[in-house]
Amino acid sequence: MIAVLEHELSLYYHSMKAYVFGAFLLVFTGIGSLLYNINASVANFEYVLSFISITFIALVPIMTMRTMAEERSQKTDQLLFSLPISTTDIVLGKFFAIVIVFLIPVIIICAYPLIFAQYGDVFLPTCYGTILAFFFLGVALLSMGMFVSCLTESQSMAAGICVVVMLLNYFCDSLSEYVSSTVVGSIVGMVFVILIVGVLVSYLTIYVIGGILVFVFLALAVVGAYIYDSTVLEGLLPNIMEKLSLFTRFETFVNGVFDVTVLVYDVSVIIFFLFLCVQSLEKRRYNG
């Protein structure tokens, strides 16, 4: 894993990608600080982090589009598979390299509240709690971007799909207002989601029957819930969409509440998508 980590870091810092990423994030932090903390005379630095969180929609695809797609397009993934390292080591090495690239500008951002505290009444625990949540939000989104990169060998396609995924996650809470909250609407929506899960499982495993079994099992669970108590399904899909949004959960910290469940959810998302990355590479190694 260390060898992969060092190789990936050298690629990022021998090109302009890591520097552009950090500069872009810090420039927007400066703009947000100017708008909220200086011009509007607001002491809450967490509003700045909420303002710049939207930049992840552009930054995450740029940072993650090459992680797996480039290896696949250049056929260097077969070279990686021939090395005496596990697939997990490959995924973790690439993942931690991106996390380090992201961590460096976040560490610089940590100086902002201390600077503003010299000129106003800044509540540092809330600021740094929000910075922590901001870091976990970014890492969770990076894990999602890495998984998207596993699905294709085209970097441009990986970036495009990742942008769509980021936008859906960002507006998931708003879109839930337009989703039917009726029982029938929830059933149709859940069946559609279950179908996607089934297809995903079939794609990531060597057994197609696995995806079919997952689809049948989850579909029977929905039918069973409807038979047992149909009111349970009322408003279920909109509620799920509200809970899925990483950005909406991050706003809890912006509002001054240190919610550990948000961090736990972020960590769960990270582990889940890294697991999917490993499964995707395992299938490719097996088929190769």
Side-chain angles (χ1 to χ4, degrees), residues 17-79:
K17 184 172 290 187
Y19 302 103
V20 171
F21 175 84
F24 196 83
L25 195 60
L26 291 175
V27 165
F28 267 83
T29 304
I31 293 173
S33 299
L34 180 65
L35 293 175
Y36 290 95
N37 301 128
I38 298 177
N39 287 351
S41 300
V42 176
N44 303 75
F45 184 71
E46 49 268 28
Y47 293 164
V48 177
L49 298 174
S50 177
F51 168 75
I52 65 175
S53 65
I54 195 172
T55 61
F56 284 133
I57 296 174
L59 291 178
V60 169
I62 293 173
M63 284 300 297
T64 60
M65 65 181 183
R66 61 155 294 276
T67 50
M68 300 298 180
E70 184 180 48
E71 302 283 0
R72 191 172 176 180
S73 63
Q74 297 182 356
K75 308 302 180 184
T76 52
D77 56 340
Q78 298 303 319
L79 176 62

Side-chain angles (χ1 to χ4, degrees), residues 57 70 85 106 144 154 178 187 213 247:
I57 296 174
E70 184 180 48
I85 55 177
V106 171
M144 294 171 62
S154 170
Y178 301 96
I187 291 176
L213 291 175
F247 292 94

Side-chain angles (χ1 to χ4, degrees), residues 2 5 20 26 51 64 87 121 130 132 134 138 143 145 154 192 202 239 250 285:
I2 301 300
L5 173 63
V20 171
L26 291 175
F51 168 75
T64 60
T87 307
D121 186 15
T130 309
L132 178 65
F134 178 79
S143 68
S154 170
F192 179 73
S202 297
N239 290 336
F250 170 65
R285 168 180 274 180

Side-chain angles (χ1 to χ4, degrees), residues 1-9 85 89-90 92-93 96:
M1 186 188 79
I2 301 300
V4 176
L5 173 63
E6 292 176 349
H7 174 70
E8 289 295 310
L9 284 176
I85 55 177
D89 289 334
I90 296 173
L92 291 180
F96 284 127

Side-chain angles (χ1 to χ4, degrees), residues 23-284:
F24 196 83
L25 195 60
L26 291 175
V27 165
F28 267 83
T29 304
I31 293 173
S33 299
L34 180 65
L35 293 175
Y36 290 95
N37 301 128
I38 298 177
N39 287 351
S41 300
V42 176
N44 303 75
F45 184 71
E46 49 268 28
Y47 293 164
V48 177
L49 298 174
S50 177
F51 168 75
I52 65 175
S53 65
I54 195 172
T55 61
F56 284 133
I57 296 174
L59 291 178
V60 169
I62 293 173
M63 284 300 297
T64 60
M65 65 181 183
R66 61 155 294 276
T67 50
M68 300 298 180
E70 184 180 48
E71 302 283 0
R72 191 172 176 180
S73 63
Q74 297 182 356
K75 308 302 180 184
T76 52
D77 56 340
Q78 298 303 319
L79 176 62
L80 282 175
F81 295 152
S82 66
L83 298 176
I85 55 177
S86 66
T87 307
T88 303
D89 289 334
I90 296 173
V91 171
L92 291 180
K94 288 178 172 289
F95 174 69
F96 284 127
I98 301 178
V99 171
I100 291 173
V101 172
F102 173 51
L103 178 62
I104 292 175
V106 171
I107 292 175
I108 298 174
I109 288 173
C110 288
Y112 282 69
L114 292 176
I115 296 172
F116 293 136
Q118 304 302 313
Y119 303 97
D121 186 15
V122 178
F123 191 58
L124 294 179
T126 301
C127 290
Y128 286 109
T130 309
I131 291 175
L132 178 65
F134 178 79
F135 173 73
F136 274 92
L137 168 66
V139 174
L141 294 173
L142 287 171
S143 68
M144 294 171 62
M146 272 191 64
F147 171 64
V148 172
S149 183
C150 287
L151 301 178
T152 176
E153 63 181 31
S154 170
Q155 293 188 49
S156 57
M157 184 176 293
I161 296 173
C162 192
V163 168
V164 173
V165 172
M166 296 296 110
L167 285 171
L168 286 175
N169 195 274
Y170 187 84
F171 292 107
C172 197
D173 187 28
S174 301
L175 291 174
S176 65
E177 300 177 3
Y178 301 96
V179 175
S180 175
S181 60
T182 63
V183 174
V184 175
S186 293
I187 291 176
V188 173
M190 291 301 296
V191 169
F192 179 73
V193 172
I194 292 170
L195 180 60
I196 295 176
V197 172
V199 171
L200 193 61
V201 171
S202 297
Y203 179 80
L204 295 176
T205 60
I206 59 176
Y207 301 108
V208 178
I209 190 66
I212 298 174
L213 291 175
V214 168
F215 173 78
V216 172
F217 176 77
L218 294 177
L220 288 176
V222 173
V223 173
Y226 175 76
I227 295 173
Y228 178 75
D229 185 5
S230 61
T231 58
V232 174
L233 298 175
E234 191 171 343
L236 179 62
L237 190 59
N239 290 336
I240 291 176
M241 291 179 65
E242 291 176 6
K243 301 296 183 183
L244 285 178
S245 176
L246 290 163
F247 292 94
T248 300
R249 288 175 175 268
F250 170 65
E251 290 299 318
T252 303
F253 278 82
V254 175
N255 294 328
V257 180
F258 192 96
D259 190 351
V260 178
T261 60
V262 174
L263 302 182
V264 173
Y265 179 70
D266 289 341
V267 172
S268 301
V269 170
I270 294 167
I271 295 173
F272 176 70
F273 281 103
L274 290 182
F275 172 75
L276 293 182
C277 287
V278 171
Q279 293 305 306
S280 178
L281 291 189
E282 283 287 353
K283 181 182 180 181
R284 201 175 308 156

